Amino acid sequence: MEKELTIDILSSVQKPARYTGGEYASIVKKPEEIEVTIALAFPDVYEVGMSYLGFKILYHLLNKEAGVAAERVYAPWIDMEAKMREHKIPLRTLETEKALSECDFIGFTLQYELTYSNILNMLDLGGVPLLAAERDDEAPFVLVGGPCIFNPEPLADFFDIGIIGDGEEIMVELMNCYKTWKKAGKPGGRQGFLQDAVKLKGIYVPSYYSVKYNEDWTVNAVEPLYKDAPAIVEKRVVKDINTVDFPTDPIVPFSEIVHDRIMLEVFRGCSRGCRFCHAGMVYRPVRERRPEVVKELARKLVDNTGYNEISMVSLSTADYSCLGPVVHDLISEFKDEKVSVSLPSLRIDSFSVDIAKEVQQVRKSGLTFAPEAGSQKMRDVINKGVTEADLMSATKAAFESGWKAVKLYFMIGLPQEKDEDILAIADLAKKVQNNYFEVTGKRGCKVTVSVSSFVPKPYTAFQWFGQNDIETLHHKQYLLKDALKVKNITYQYHDAKTSVIEAVFARGDRRLGKALLAAWRKGARFDGWTDCFSYDIWQEAMAEAGLDIDFYAARERGENEAFPWEHVQPAVARRFLWHEWQKAQKQQLTHDCRRDSCTGCGVCPKLGVDIIDWKDGAQ
């Protein structure tokens, strides 16, 4: 018999507020109002999932629809999972405590490859068969979407439907499709609905495709098995985000979450063209929100939430064409209410000390820049388009205005990287400190150097590149560690082994499903958390599945090799990406197309969508 979550159980685990629900502005619909229930499932803990803007938007839009109930569910932490399994408590939604097996849909977001084991764990805890092929007509439909959907193949065995691209419009269409099918008496059962759904643009049903392999185990072709399944599934794109109803009354949690503030999206997409950046390619083109809309949304969000900070979010917020005037107006409006405005990490070539000083008026914060690489050679390889002089100019202006601390983000393991390029990171950090001394005549500038290991991703210029192996990454990490034994410089770096498994799933194919299932059965959970991740488990699981880690992560791809993901398209042309890969090896730059000539990525003409830029009040 299923047991309820009791006070005794809640009081025995960390952060019980993760599991109680009932937060301010959560939406609970009456049973008689509901025709379809979808559990928006985030495969990480509550405080991470509650910070995800995408689900805030979908929760708002879906619950506005008549007959649709969108509820939330998050991955229980290790301690709660143990209690749930001990007492046979199924994983339930927060709004109405509905077991996942009782929902019509379970929609997972794929933000990060190392959450995939949590997806299996949540399905199992919710009483849902893990394999799509084993779900009967009573089982929920499992949906996946988000940035990692542009290579969905490692999860192909486990989900029924993929949502490709922007979800605001297609999710509503899918719910309406379900309601129509349900009212008609569910003709054809489970397959009947999938056959209806696959006709919608942006819908991918993996069971309707077969994969052929070459003798060397590279992919030969991915072909549709069903007549209505398109050979290429192109992403859905919201052409103008000003037409989308942005949530102004989001749920306010009882406990602290990772981004415990208002998150206000100012634009979507990026055209800078950094060759490592997956999001910069798959979310093209740039579509800005009108400045008057941004300010109107901010007013409503402050009134409805009580938060004292507005974070202006996008892939590159400093590139918002109306940033200066909008920040000025927001500070002026909210200063007396003690509501601050914050910006994410800033590009050093678009840094404005005037804007930075304005956002400090209400609440002081540190400065974060992302040079990404230490040497100019490497910045040119990745098409970062910034120079050391840009960084010195930006930090000088900051130090002159009173800042004493800077955080710098870098990557190691990039194509063409040598030891001297690694050491250039340390040199750059020291130059920032010296810059502070030259400006102030004082020592004591605190510089934090945060370094991640590069992971090649689909639909980037570096998708052909073979990732550095663990030994090479360790060598580079320790080389930099020795070079940064300097007073007031803090060095942070990530576990190289997690980056390798991330690369396996970023560039993997359907055969990885067996390894994922084996790893989960061996105890893989929360692989993105250092204290939970076990490289040994993944080595064993890959071996049991007859697969090789280096085949996926470390192998350089040939020019004409077919990739496992190319039947799911963000509309970026392969020839454009190959050309960028060639330019990277020659250290040649490509300009930003946003206010310059088209660079030929193919997205705008293929999808029939235009760049929306409100500079000077016009597109």
Side-chain angles (χ1 to χ4, degrees):
M1 181 177 175
E2 293 180 358
K3 187 176 177 182
E4 302 296 316
L5 275 180
T6 62
I7 293 295
D8 288 346
I9 292 173
L10 286 169
S11 63
S12 69
V13 299
Q14 296 177 41
K15 302 183 181 180
R18 289 168 167 167
Y19 312 108
T20 58
E23 308 98 319
Y24 177 76
S26 57
I27 299 169
V28 179
K29 292 191 173 182
K30 297 176 182 177
E32 60 269 23
E33 298 176 325
I34 301 171
E35 297 176 64
V36 51
T37 299
I38 176 169
L40 296 174
F42 196 93
D44 210 323
V45 289
Y46 174 91
E47 55 266 36
V48 177
M50 276 292 288
S51 300
Y52 173 48
L53 181 58
F55 270 4
K56 295 177 195 285
I57 294 171
L58 290 178
Y59 185 85
H60 169 73
L61 289 175
L62 291 172
N63 277 315
K64 280 180 59 183
E65 293 295 309
V68 179
E71 305 190 7
R72 298 164 297 136
V73 65
Y74 305 96
W77 187 243
I78 306 295
D79 55 355
M80 178 56 87
E81 181 193 342
K83 294 289 183 182
M84 292 170 69
R85 293 194 184 278
E86 177 187 350
H87 297 286
K88 296 183 171 56
I89 301 171
L91 184 59
R92 297 187 174 108
T93 62
L94 291 179
E95 276 71 12
T96 63
E97 298 186 3
K98 185 171 288 188
L100 293 191
S101 59
E102 299 169 347
C103 298
D104 300 304
F105 293 93
I106 307 166
F108 288 96
T109 180
L110 309 181
Q111 293 292 308
Y112 180 35
E113 292 84 355
L114 294 186
T115 61
Y116 291 178
S117 59
N118 276 5
I119 292 175
L120 271 59
N121 204 42
M122 291 173 74
L123 290 174
D124 184 65
L125 285 168
V128 179
L130 299 186
L131 295 170
E134 295 180 357
R135 295 181 194 129
D136 60 21
D137 285 354
E138 302 306 311
F141 291 95
V142 177
L143 314 178
V144 294
C148 297
I149 194 63
F150 291 101
N151 181 15
E153 293 305 280
L155 285 170
D157 294 342
F158 308 105
F159 71 90
D160 299 294
I161 296 172
I163 309 295
I164 314 302
D166 293 339
E168 289 95 334
E169 296 165 347
I170 183 60
M171 285 293 286
V172 172
E173 292 171 18
L174 187 65
M175 296 302 106
N176 288 334
C177 180
Y178 181 86
K179 286 189 285 185
T180 300
W181 172 73
K182 184 179 179 181
K183 286 175 183 174
K186 299 184 176 181
R190 191 174 192 85
Q191 285 302 315
F193 176 68
L194 291 176
Q195 288 166 12
D196 290 342
V198 80
K199 296 173 186 176
L200 299 173
K201 184 180 178 184
I203 291 294
Y204 172 54
V205 178
S207 61
Y208 288 172
Y209 295 78
S210 67
V211 184
K212 294 180 180 178
Y213 296 95
N214 298 312
E215 289 185 5
D216 63 358
W217 289 106
T218 57
V219 170
N220 177 276
V222 180
E223 298 174 341
L225 297 169
Y226 177 65
K227 61 182 176 63
D228 287 325
I232 300 295
V233 184
E234 285 188 349
K235 76 172 181 180
R236 288 293 290 267
V237 58
V238 174
K239 293 185 177 182
D240 183 356
I241 65 170
N242 293 284
T243 65
V244 174
D245 190 4
F246 190 83
T248 54
D249 52 353
I251 296 169
V252 181
F254 291 132
S255 58
E256 188 175 354
I257 60 176
V258 173
H259 297 298
D260 214 9
R261 60 188 75 98
I262 290 167
M263 298 178 70
L264 180 50
E265 184 185 37
V266 292
F267 71 87
R268 196 168 294 180
C270 181
S271 52
R272 287 283 190 166
C274 297
R275 293 177 178 129
F276 60 85
C277 185
H278 179 252
M281 291 297 168
V282 302
Y283 288 124
R284 290 183 171 210
V286 169
R287 289 147 289 152
E288 289 192 342
R289 189 163 265 128
R290 290 189 185 94
E292 60 270 24
V293 175
V294 171
K295 289 182 281 189
E296 180 185 341
L297 292 173
R299 179 71 269 171
K300 291 179 179 177
L301 282 159
V302 169
D303 291 344
N304 291 338
T305 66
Y307 277 123
N308 62 5
E309 182 180 350
I310 303 167
S311 179
M312 300 177 69
V313 298
S314 72
L315 291 177
S316 182
T317 301
D319 289 337
Y320 181 46
S321 63
C322 310
L323 184 64
V326 168
V327 165
H328 177 78
D329 290 349
L330 291 177
I331 293 291
S332 298
E333 179 167 355
F334 296 115
K335 188 175 180 181
D336 291 343
E337 299 173 54
K338 297 292 187 283
V339 175
S340 65
V341 176
S342 65
L343 306 175
S345 64
L346 301 168
R347 284 185 60 96
I348 56 181
D349 57 336
S350 53
F351 173 73
S352 166
V353 73
D354 293 333
I355 293 176
K357 284 171 72 173
E358 266 204 287
V359 301
Q360 297 287 307
Q361 289 183 42
V362 178
R363 190 168 291 107
K364 300 292 183 185
S365 63
L367 276 180
T368 303
F369 297 110
E372 309 292 2
S375 68
Q376 192 59 48
K377 180 194 100 176
M378 292 310 305
R379 288 191 291 272
D380 291 346
V381 166
I382 65 177
N383 199 46
K384 188 65 181 177
V386 298
T387 65
E388 183 178 303
D390 291 326
L391 180 61
M392 293 304 115
S393 175
T395 53
K396 180 182 178 183
F399 297 149
E400 286 173 343
S401 299
W403 272 274
K404 299 178 181 180
V406 176
K407 186 168 188 175
L408 303 175
Y409 282 113
F410 297 94
M411 287 183 294
I412 60 171
L414 291 160
Q416 298 199 41
E417 189 176 68
K418 306 295 183 186
D419 281 359
E420 54 264 32
D421 300 307
I422 299 297
L423 294 173
I425 295 174
D427 291 339
L428 204 57
K430 294 169 188 174
K431 286 176 181 176
V432 169
Q433 281 192 323
N434 291 334
N435 202 16
Y436 178 81
F437 178 73
E438 289 177 8
V439 169
T440 67
K442 301 175 183 177
R443 302 291 181 185
C445 172
K446 294 182 179 179
V447 178
T448 300
V449 175
S450 182
V451 178
S452 61
S453 298
F454 170 67
V455 176
K457 298 277 182 167
Y459 296 111
T460 68
F462 292 165
Q463 62 184 347
W464 285 272
F465 175 65
Q467 187 187 38
N468 286 184
D469 59 30
I470 291 171
E471 291 73 21
T472 303
L473 290 172
H474 281 164
H475 163 75
K476 292 178 177 180
Q477 287 174 338
Y478 300 146
L479 184 69
L480 188 53
K481 186 176 183 179
D482 288 340
L484 283 174
K485 290 179 178 177
V486 178
K487 187 177 181 181
N488 290 324
I489 293 184
T490 302
Y491 173 47
Q492 303 170 344
Y493 60 96
H494 302 148
D495 180 12
K497 291 178 179 178
T498 62
S499 298
V500 169
I501 299 302
E502 181 184 346
V504 167
F505 281 89
R507 302 208 294 171
D509 54 47
R510 289 192 179 195
R511 292 169 299 169
L512 285 169
K514 291 181 180 179
L516 177 58
L517 185 58
W520 171 74
R521 285 174 173 158
K522 291 175 183 292
R525 308 278 192 281
F526 289 100
D527 292 299
W529 295 67
T530 304
D531 52 344
C532 297
F533 177 76
S534 169
Y535 188 65
D536 289 344
I537 283 178
W538 284 103
Q539 284 183 305
E540 292 169 11
M542 290 288 287
E544 283 183 16
L547 301 174
D548 178 55
I549 288 174
D550 286 346
F551 175 83
Y552 293 106
R555 182 175 60 87
E556 186 162 320
R557 306 296 198 257
E559 177 181 357
N560 298 314
E561 178 176 334
F563 295 128
W565 52 81
E566 288 185 291
H567 57 298
V568 174
Q569 286 273 353
V572 178
R574 179 178 173 126
R575 65 181 180 277
F576 168 77
L577 295 173
W578 176 256
H579 186 49
E580 286 296 296
W581 175 228
Q582 299 306 299
K583 290 179 75 173
Q585 294 174 71
K586 298 172 186 174
Q587 299 160 36
Q588 295 175 350
L589 297 176
T590 298
H591 64 263
D592 184 344
C593 67
R594 186 169 173 182
R595 299 189 190 101
D596 206 327
S597 60
C598 174
T599 54
C601 78
V603 172
C604 296
K606 198 166 189 180
L607 297 180
V609 61
D610 297 319
I611 293 169
I612 294 181
D613 187 310
W614 294 101
K615 187 176 178 65
D616 301 324
Q619 292 187 37

